[in-house]
Amino acid sequence: MGASRQTLTIEIVVATGFLLLAALGFRRSLWLVAVAIIGHGVFDSVHHLFIENPGVPIWWPGFCLGFDGILGGWVALCLVRRSNPPLYSSD
């Protein structure tokens, strides 16, 4: 963190929102987990428009969007595959 206590408070509130969405997803629907992961990446990519924090490295938004986008997409793909069993079996 390279900013004020107010910035830290905003960061904690936003992080808590993503944490609650993911926790709710584990209890209700794993689709919420996928959405929370992708949403976090998107949020980090536009973070600078809402929260001024000079402690965030310049490369972080792109890295986070890429990582969270891939991870969230993988979780979504796993959910789609789980809900659509194969049409044939090799057994």
Side-chain angles (χ1 to χ4, degrees), residues 4-86:
S4 67
R5 287 182 187 222
Q6 180 182 4
T7 299
L8 178 60
T9 302
I10 294 168
E11 296 276 10
I12 289 170
V13 167
V14 171
T16 301
F18 283 114
L19 177 67
L20 291 174
L21 186 60
L24 181 64
F26 279 109
R27 295 190 56 87
R28 301 284 181 197
S29 171
L30 291 176
W31 282 103
L32 287 175
V33 174
V35 168
I37 294 169
I38 294 170
H40 177 259
V42 170
F43 172 76
D44 270 3
S45 71
V46 296
H47 178 273
H48 65 282
L49 300 175
F50 304 104
I51 303 170
E52 183 68 33
N53 186 352
V56 176
I58 193 73
W59 52 266
W60 187 255
F63 170 79
C64 196
L65 177 61
F67 182 86
D68 287 351
I70 290 169
L71 180 61
W74 177 75
V75 170
L77 180 63
C78 289
L79 292 171
V80 167
R81 285 184 171 174
R82 188 175 78 176
S83 65
N84 295 325

